[in-house]
């Protein structure tokens, strides 16, 4: 195998590839990138951690077709330090790779292609299944959906069905929902073209990878949902994400349908007060006490080991007063993804979930369960 | 050594369980006493000094202990009595220092720095402490005094029982020099064997090996050993007692065969663990299962629950799920154990679960029920009320038990 390739183009492919590769895997080859040079003037770069796979096709001057895998971390490290312009990549005996740029020469130890696992192929579904059909969608809508919901995905391995975001789409509106059991975030946006019979659960690492791909390739992208995998085609990139084959909890049942009290407050003011309170709040639980009375929201963080922080904010309150405990970080995370100037906080009683909505009618809501204090 | 000179006491009760038995039954005085499970596979939990003279010691199989001392009196443990004595001892400790770090039921570190004007020089304070313990509990203890934490612990063992050893500041290296390396914290059989290959027998020998060489041999741990050998130990006395796990293990006289029989044992153990958690107002998220077969093959499995629990049923259900992961067919088991870790105070502010209604984890009602069940067992003994599946012969374990019944109330 031998090809000449543009350093910057190669580097951008490897930068993305190395976020997928699994450097701590029990299978050493998963820390490698598979490079396949074909006679039609392309090099295909592939990485996988068995759950997520990424391939990118880069134009190259292929002198001799062939394939090889090398550790992506070090290959990326080498290419990053080379000057711009063309570099030459050559496969040597015993799966060694040689990289030459100007007067620099590197040799990296690689592995044969046979050791690299086969990647999911949208054209050939699992055993006799028909090829996956793709819908064309606007990339930045997907990015926005992910950005506003990924923070409340559970990382608790004991709750597998919460380790991803639920995506539902009826052809005109797409909805993403995530919950860690203590809070829930739901965000809907108009999105044409994607029609799903039932919701799919995209694991957290997959969401992050989708975002990275969409950051690289703006504009329209193709999304296809197979039996076990989600496929995303963006420009020369193909990403596949194995879906969590579990059942998402019936989330609609835990979103309160009505409320007894509603507070309207300036988002920045509440967020600032929470940030200050969090400094004093107990490290582990970040417990703050929220007290609502006519025209005022009081926020208190009381830490027996440290001291007390007390703040007051002017608000519009509809309904009776209330006192409840919350994890300040949960409230902050929800407020941070809301763009509107004002936010609405809806309560029932002190042990019932609080609903946070933007002041305008945007299709976003966050449900935060209180703490028993 | 820390920059400012500290005064640290290590207080260790003498043959604690056995001493409590001797105190409560004076007819046992002068006789060798072993506390522990009587069965063929019982283990010695404590040996009186009379029994130790015959080569008996704690953690020894009861069968071995009885071979060495056939005329020993074997008593089943009475954990209630020991807990009560322990609580009294710790009350005394608290009177002497605000910084008490409990290591177990019968030993603790006390940071006595700055108490001189109130209690006199360290040796005087230690004598006062020893006499206060004796007065309160009629039990003896041994005290080690040093400016360095681990040396205080080594010192308390020097003059046992009923002893007092002070390692004066500046004499630490001298004290350590002749000590066998096996006595150092963190030197187990394997480390000791490797050090012996290099001709290291005492802490003095260890001091002659460079930090680099020790690091090459043992990695990070080697540097730790190097520091200890030079009497460097900056660890402070951390008040309170951080429990990592509450667990219950039994070694059985009769092999346990079959999944159903195993489950019965595990249910009984889950119940005991739940009672102890409930009594302390704590719950845990990590549940651990341990089994050992007659070939001494030990297997452990653990899982994490969504919410901390102190409920027997929740613990038992988790243990049963873990049991599924193990190959049980054709094996005979001699030991089972149930443990709960990642402990936290269930009374502290607690995050409520949003999904409780749609994905019920541990119900609050279950937690309340557990409170009542545990309280009944605390008052009337663990046989007063137990899950029917656990069977009435649940007392086979080496931990033995006490047999308070409802009628005695």
């Amino acid at each position: 195998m031998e090809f000449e390739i543009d350093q910057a183009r190669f580097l951008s492919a490897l930068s993305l590839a190395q976020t997928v590769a699994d450097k701590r895997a029990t299978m050493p080859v998963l820390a490698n990138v598979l490079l396949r040079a074909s006679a039609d003037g392309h090099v295909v770069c592939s990485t996988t951690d068995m759950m997520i796979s990424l391939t990118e096709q880069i134009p190259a001057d292929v002198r001799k077709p062939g394939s090889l895998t090398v550790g992506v971390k070090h290959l990326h490290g080498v290419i990053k330090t080379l000057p711009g312009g063309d570099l030459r990549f050559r496969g040597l005996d015993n799966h060694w790779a040689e990289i030459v740029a100007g007067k620099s020469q590197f040799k990296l130890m690689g592995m044969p292609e046979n050791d690299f696992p086969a990647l999911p192929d949208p054209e050939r579904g699992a055993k006799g299944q028909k090829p996956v059909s793709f819908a064309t969608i606007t990339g930045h809508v997907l990015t926005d959906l992910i950005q506003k919901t990924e923070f409340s995905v559970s990382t608790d391995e004991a709750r597998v069905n919460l380790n991803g975001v639920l995506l539902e789409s009826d052809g005109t509106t797409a909805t993403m929902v995530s919950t860690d059991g203590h809070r829930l975030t739901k965000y809907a946006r108009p999105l044409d073209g994607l029609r799903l019979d039932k919701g799919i659960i995209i694991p957290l690492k997959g969401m992050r990878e989708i975002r990275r791909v969409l950051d690289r390739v703006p504009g329209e992208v193709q999304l296809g949902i197979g039996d076990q995998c989600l496929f995303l085609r963006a420009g020369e990139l193909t990403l596949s994400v194995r879906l969590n084959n579990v059942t998402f909890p019936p989330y609609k049942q835990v979103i309160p349908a009505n409320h007894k009290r509603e507070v309207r407050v300036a988002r920045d003011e509440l967020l600032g007060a929470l940030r200050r309170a969090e400094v004093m709040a107990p490290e582990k639980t970040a417990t703050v006490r929220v007290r609502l009375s006519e025209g005022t929201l009081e926020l208190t963080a009381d830490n027996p080991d440290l001291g007390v922080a007390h703040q007051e904010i002017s608000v519009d309150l509809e309904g009776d007063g209330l006192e409840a405990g919350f994890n300040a970080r949960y409230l902050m995370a929800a407020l941070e993804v809301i763009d509107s100037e004002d936010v609405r906080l809806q309560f029932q009683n002190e042990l019932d979930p609080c609903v946070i909505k933007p002041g305008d009618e945007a299709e976003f809501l966050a449900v935060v369960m209180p703490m028993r204090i | 050594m820390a920059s400012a000179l500290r005064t640290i006491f290590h207080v260790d009760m003498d043959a604690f369980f056995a001493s409590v038995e001797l105190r409560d039954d004076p007819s046992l005085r002068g006789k060798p006493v072993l506390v522990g499970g009587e069965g063929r596979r019982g283990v010695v939990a404590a040996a009186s000094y009379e029994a130790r003279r015959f080569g008996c010691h704690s953690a020894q199989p009861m069968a071995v202990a009885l071979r060495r001392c056939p005329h020993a009196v074997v008593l089943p443990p009475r954990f209630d009595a020991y807990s009560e004595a322990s609580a009294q001892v710790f009350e005394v400790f608290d009177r002497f220092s605000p910084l008490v770090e409990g290591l177990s039921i019968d030993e603790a570190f006390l940071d006595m720095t700055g108490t001189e004007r109130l209690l006199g020089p360290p040796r005087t304070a230690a004598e006062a402490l020893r006499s206060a313990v004796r007065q309160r509990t009629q039990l003896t203890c041994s005290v080690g005094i040093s400016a360095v934490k681990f040396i205080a612990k080594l010192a308390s063992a020097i003059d046992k029982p009923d002893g007092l050893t002070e390692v004066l500041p500046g004499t630490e290296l001298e004290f350590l020099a002749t000590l066998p390396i096996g006595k150092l914290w963190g030197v187990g059989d394997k480390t000791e064997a490797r050090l012996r290959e290099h001709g290291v027998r005492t802490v003095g020998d260890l001091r002659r090996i460079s930090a680099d060489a020790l690091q090459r041999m043992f990695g990070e741990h080697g540097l730790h050993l190097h520091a200890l050998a030079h009497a460097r130990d900056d660890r402070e006395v951390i008040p309170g007692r951080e429990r990592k796990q509450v667990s219950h293990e039994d070694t059985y006289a009769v092999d346990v065969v079959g999944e159903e029989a195993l489950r019965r044992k595990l249910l009984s153990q889950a119940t005991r663990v739940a009672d102890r958690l409930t009594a302390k107002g704590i719950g845990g998220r990590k549940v651990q299962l341990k089994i050992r077969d007659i070939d001494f093959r030990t297997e452990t499995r653990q899982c994490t629950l969504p919410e901390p629990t102190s409920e027997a049923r929740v613990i038992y259900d988790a243990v049963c799920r873990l049991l599924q992961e193990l190959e049980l067919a054709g094996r005979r088991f001699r030991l089972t154990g149930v443990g709960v870790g990642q402990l936290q105070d269930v009374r502290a502010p607690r995050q409520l679960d949003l999904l409780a209604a749609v994905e019920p984890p541990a119900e609050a009602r279950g937690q309340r029920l557990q409170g009542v069940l545990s309280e009944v067992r605390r008052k009337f003994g663990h046989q007063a009320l137990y899950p029917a599946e656990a069977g009435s012969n649940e007392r086979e374990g080496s931990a033995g038990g006490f047999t308070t019944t409802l009628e005695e109330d």
Side-chain angles (χ1 to χ4, degrees):
Chain A
M1 176 174 75
E2 189 177 340
F3 59 84
E4 270 189 24
I5 198 163
D6 178 57
Q7 182 265 348
R9 191 67 195 78
F10 200 23
L11 178 61
S12 93
L14 292 172
S15 305
L16 207 51
Q18 62 137 7
T19 64
V20 172
D22 189 348
K23 286 128 208 154
R24 291 183 302 264
T26 41
M27 272 170 76
V29 80
L30 297 185
N32 285 12
V33 57
L34 169 65
L35 300 169
R36 217 184 248 160
S38 55
D40 64 357
H42 284 113
V43 171
V44 177
C45 279
S46 308
T47 41
T48 181
D49 66 355
M50 301 304 278
M51 300 301 286
I52 296 169
S53 311
L54 181 72
T55 32
E56 179 165 7
Q57 190 167 298
I58 323 162
D61 182 5
V62 178
R63 306 268 170 83
K64 209 168 126 200
S67 67
L68 188 65
T69 81
V70 278
V72 68
K73 188 177 164 215
H74 287 102
L75 181 60
H76 175 258
V78 166
I79 303 301
K80 196 166 77 179
T81 54
L82 291 178
D86 281 355
L87 58 91
R88 202 174 76 230
F89 189 103
R90 199 156 66 100
L92 307 176
D93 288 347
N94 296 320
H95 321 294
W96 280 82
E98 181 197 63
I99 300 147
V100 180
K103 289 190 174 153
S104 309
Q105 186 206 34
F106 297 87
K107 279 185 181 147
L108 282 174
M109 196 168 53
M111 287 188 205
E113 184 189 349
N114 314 354
D115 296 350
F116 203 80
L119 305 184
D121 183 353
E123 304 303 329
R124 279 185 303 131
K127 279 184 219 117
Q129 300 271 332
K130 52 183 190 296
V132 172
S133 55
F134 281 83
T136 302
I137 59 161
T138 321
H140 70 84
V141 175
L142 200 53
T143 305
D144 188 33
L145 284 165
I146 292 172
Q147 251 166 6
K148 288 194 164 54
T149 52
E150 70 181 334
F151 67 89
S152 61
V153 170
S154 169
T155 51
D156 182 348
E157 283 167 25
R159 300 183 102 166
V160 187
N161 62 335
L162 309 183
N163 291 164
V165 69
L166 174 75
L167 170 65
E168 295 178 322
S169 192
D170 61 5
T172 55
T173 304
T175 308
M176 275 197 184
V177 186
S178 68
T179 174
D180 62 5
H182 298 151
R183 56 195 167 147
L184 175 147
T185 316
K186 175 175 170 249
Y187 184 42
R189 273 195 71 158
L191 183 73
D192 287 331
L194 183 66
R195 185 185 293 276
L196 300 173
D197 298 334
K198 58 182 176 73
I200 55 166
I201 300 179
I202 311 172
L204 189 59
K205 189 179 173 192
M207 293 171 73
R208 292 186 175 143
E209 221 52 60
I210 291 171
R211 258 182 72 175
R212 287 198 188 97
V213 169
L214 294 173
D215 285 348
R216 260 273 301 279
V217 186
E220 308 234 290
V221 294
Q222 263 92 41
L223 191 66
I225 311 297
D227 213 23
Q228 293 170 344
C229 288
L230 168 153
F231 296 94
L232 178 70
R233 282 177 173 163
E236 302 300 312
L237 284 157
T238 303
L239 175 74
S240 75
V241 177
R242 191 172 284 276
L243 301 172
N244 275 355
N245 192 20
V246 283
T247 311
F248 202 76
Y251 71 91
K252 285 175 187 151
Q253 293 176 30
V254 302
I255 299 176
N258 42 48
H259 59 267
K260 290 184 184 163
R261 310 159 159 86
E262 184 176 278
V263 170
R264 188 176 267 274
V265 55
R267 169 195 174 269
D268 289 351
E269 213 175 318
L270 181 56
L271 192 52
L274 282 164
R275 284 187 181 134
R276 289 186 285 276
E278 196 229 346
V279 179
M280 291 298 274
E283 169 107 34
K284 237 176 170 173
T285 55
T287 313
V288 292
R289 197 182 293 263
V290 175
R291 200 162 156 241
L292 300 176
S293 53
E294 185 68 54
T296 311
L297 185 156
E298 287 170 73
L299 197 60
T300 310
D302 191 348
N303 186 342
D305 302 328
L306 209 61
V308 186
H310 181 87
Q311 297 169 87
E312 283 183 20
I313 306 172
S314 310
V315 296
D316 285 332
L317 171 68
E318 264 174 48
D320 297 336
L322 178 82
E323 186 167 338
F326 285 97
N327 180 326
R329 286 183 210 117
Y330 291 173
L331 299 176
M332 284 157 57
L335 293 171
E336 271 160 8
V337 299
I338 293 180
D339 310 314
S340 70
E341 211 166 287
D342 282 358
V343 291
R344 290 172 293 152
L345 272 58
Q346 299 171 341
F347 300 88
Q348 286 184 309
N349 297 310
E350 75 266 21
L351 297 181
D352 296 321
C354 162
V355 179
I356 305 174
K357 292 176 175 173
D360 53 39
E361 286 306 312
E363 285 292 322
F364 175 91
L365 71 82
V367 183
V368 178
M369 205 58 189
M371 299 185 81
R372 192 191 289 277
I373 47 173
Chain B
M1 266 170 278
S3 46
L5 215 52
R6 291 174 300 162
T7 307
I8 295 170
F9 285 9
H10 177 258
V11 188
D12 193 11
M13 301 303 294
D14 300 322
F16 186 53
F17 295 177
S19 302
V20 172
E21 297 299 341
L22 289 168
R23 176 193 71 180
D24 293 351
D25 182 357
S27 73
L28 296 170
R29 298 239 170 98
K31 292 180 189 164
V33 172
L34 298 170
V35 176
E38 255 177 293
R40 192 156 52 92
R41 283 175 188 158
V43 175
V44 178
S48 71
Y49 285 92
E50 285 79 5
R52 289 186 194 195
R53 246 170 255 138
F54 293 90
C56 304
H57 57 82
S58 55
Q60 189 177 42
M62 187 59 83
V64 175
L66 285 174
R67 222 174 294 140
R68 297 202 174 159
C69 184
H71 58 291
V73 181
V74 180
L75 297 170
R78 295 181 300 137
F79 288 107
D80 269 14
Y82 314 147
S83 307
E84 194 191 333
S86 171
Q88 292 169 346
V89 169
F90 275 82
E91 270 171 41
V92 173
F93 294 168
D94 288 338
R95 290 212 312 263
F96 279 77
S97 169
L99 298 174
V100 177
E101 177 183 349
L103 290 179
S104 70
I105 191 166
D106 67 337
E107 61 176 317
F109 282 114
L110 278 67
D111 190 334
M112 301 293 291
T113 314
T115 61
E116 289 222 356
R117 286 176 62 181
L118 200 63
L119 300 171
R123 191 171 268 277
T124 313
E127 282 301 358
L129 173 77
R130 280 161 29 78
S131 92
V133 168
R134 199 161 42 236
Q135 207 171 9
R136 183 82 174 85
T137 62
Q138 296 137 48
L139 297 170
T140 61
C141 61
S142 299
V143 178
I145 308 173
S146 169
V148 184
K149 197 172 173 185
F150 84 97
I151 292 179
K153 183 168 163 75
L154 293 170
S156 71
I158 297 290
D159 191 22
K160 257 183 168 300
D162 204 8
L164 171 60
T165 304
E166 183 177 16
V167 180
L168 288 166
T171 66
E172 288 91 354
L173 294 181
E174 197 184 315
F175 170 78
L176 288 175
T178 54
L179 207 72
I181 41 158
K183 299 264 183 197
L184 277 189
W185 257 358
V187 177
D189 291 347
K190 278 184 196 149
T191 310
E192 185 174 349
R194 281 201 60 192
L195 284 169
R196 272 174 183 272
E197 282 169 24
H198 289 81
V200 175
R201 281 164 196 279
T202 65
V203 180
D205 298 339
L206 182 63
R207 196 156 64 224
R208 281 190 282 276
I209 300 189
S210 74
D212 281 354
L214 282 170
Q215 191 178 17
R216 271 196 303 279
M217 270 191 267
F218 303 106
E220 192 76 15
H221 185 51
L223 293 177
H224 179 62
L225 292 179
H226 184 260
L228 291 185
H230 288 80
R232 283 196 296 268
D233 177 19
D234 283 340
R235 282 172 294 189
E236 293 182 11
V237 174
I238 300 157
R241 183 167 160 216
E242 198 66 22
R243 279 173 172 275
K244 291 209 172 75
Q245 203 191 35
V246 170
S247 60
H248 191 97
E249 262 182 45
D250 286 306
T251 304
Y252 304 106
V254 180
D255 297 342
V256 181
V257 184
E259 191 173 329
E260 201 189 317
L262 269 177
R263 278 173 190 266
R264 270 205 298 279
K265 301 294 184 199
L266 294 170
L267 177 58
S268 157
Q269 293 178 321
T271 309
R272 305 268 198 107
V273 170
D275 286 350
R276 281 164 55 195
L277 291 168
T278 304
K280 297 193 158 26
I282 51 179
R285 285 188 65 196
K286 192 150 269 176
V287 176
Q288 194 187 52
L289 163 73
K290 178 173 172 185
I291 56 173
R292 177 177 296 154
D293 65 16
I294 52 169
D295 300 324
F296 272 84
R297 218 166 82 215
T298 307
E299 286 174 289
T300 58
R301 288 290 182 278
Q302 54 183 34
C303 66
T304 306
L305 302 172
E307 293 277 308
T309 190
S310 58
E311 266 179 76
R313 182 50 64 175
V314 177
I315 299 167
Y316 174 66
D317 286 347
V319 167
C320 287
R321 285 196 297 277
L322 294 171
L323 200 59
Q324 305 290 321
E325 296 174 17
L326 299 170
E327 183 59 50
L328 304 173
R331 294 174 69 187
R332 308 173 72 84
F333 297 93
R334 70 191 309 274
L335 175 148
T336 68
V338 172
V340 173
Q342 271 194 25
L343 302 175
Q344 59 193 79
D345 191 339
V346 290
R347 289 164 302 198
R350 198 165 137 210
Q351 176 64 49
L352 299 172
D353 196 320
L354 179 64
L355 304 176
V358 290
E359 280 196 331
E363 280 179 65
R365 207 190 318 159
Q367 205 83 28
R368 277 209 300 281
L369 176 64
Q370 182 67 48
V372 175
L373 294 176
S374 295
E375 181 62 14
V376 169
R377 282 189 287 263
R378 192 186 68 75
K379 275 197 177 142
F380 304 116
H382 70 264
Q383 285 230 294
L385 193 60
Y386 51 85
E389 303 100 294
S392 60
N393 55 348
E394 63 148 4
R395 275 183 55 243
E396 289 174 326
S398 64
F402 48 95
T403 49
T404 322
T405 56
L406 276 168
E407 290 80 49
E408 278 176 51
D409 188 36

